[in-house]
Amino acid sequence: METDTACPCGRTDARGKPLARSACCGRYLDDFEHDPAPDAESLMRSRYSAFTEQNAAYLLATWHAGQRPASIDFEPGCKWLGLEVRSARMAGSETAEVEFVARSRTAGRAQRLHERSRFVREDGRWYYVDGDML
């Protein structure tokens, strides 16, 4: 039985029970070099979890080199409230798209990020490329 907290990404098992962080995004966040996300949706979920934990190293490591920023600045006081994956699909043999809505609150103000993200698989690893705000 898992003793750690529920994964921030909100993924559930077949019975609708929240997965523990260690059984979900935690394994990718804690050991990206040896345990990369197996698909674009898992990478997107783990990147959301990385934002909740302010894990800049993971976010930069999973950002495609052609689009990767030099650094990531986190919004002070931002609290991530939840993630809804609306769709995930392969767009080609090595590309995929994930549409999601992430909710947060900063300084008492609710925010909603609705994006269709693009991912690419290179050398067996998935990377975030970019996304369109919806």
Side-chain angles (χ1 to χ4, degrees):
M1 183 170 154
E2 294 293 336
T3 59
D4 62 346
T5 60
C7 190
C9 83
R11 185 173 269 179
T12 58
D13 64 16
R15 296 181 312 244
K17 181 180 175 189
L19 289 178
R21 182 188 179 280
S22 64
C24 194
C25 296
R27 56 189 163 178
Y28 314 129
L29 291 164
D30 297 342
D31 194 11
F32 171 72
E33 286 300 316
H34 300 101
D35 198 1
D39 53 55
E41 180 180 349
S42 295
L43 179 62
M44 193 282 310
R45 286 179 174 278
S46 67
R47 286 176 56 83
Y48 171 84
S49 293
F51 271 104
T52 71
E53 298 175 6
Q54 296 190 359
N55 184 339
Y58 183 81
L59 292 165
L60 291 170
T62 58
W63 213 311
H64 189 268
Q67 301 290 329
R68 182 182 307 136
S71 64
I72 296 175
D73 295 321
F74 296 100
E75 196 166 350
C78 179
K79 177 165 176 56
W80 292 95
L81 304 173
L83 174 69
E84 174 192 354
V85 174
R86 296 223 170 144
S87 67
R89 69 176 190 88
M90 292 296 294
S93 63
E94 302 295 320
T95 59
E97 292 181 349
V98 178
E99 181 183 346
F100 68 92
V101 175
R103 296 177 299 107
S104 65
R105 182 173 306 281
T106 304
R109 184 171 170 250
Q111 300 176 8
R112 186 174 174 269
L113 171 66
H114 186 180
E115 181 177 301
R116 181 173 296 116
S117 299
R118 285 179 285 281
F119 297 85
V120 64
R121 182 172 43 202
E122 292 181 351
D123 298 323
R125 292 181 182 268
W126 284 98
Y127 294 93
Y128 170 76
V129 177
D130 60 15
D132 295 322
M133 303 299 280
L134 301 173

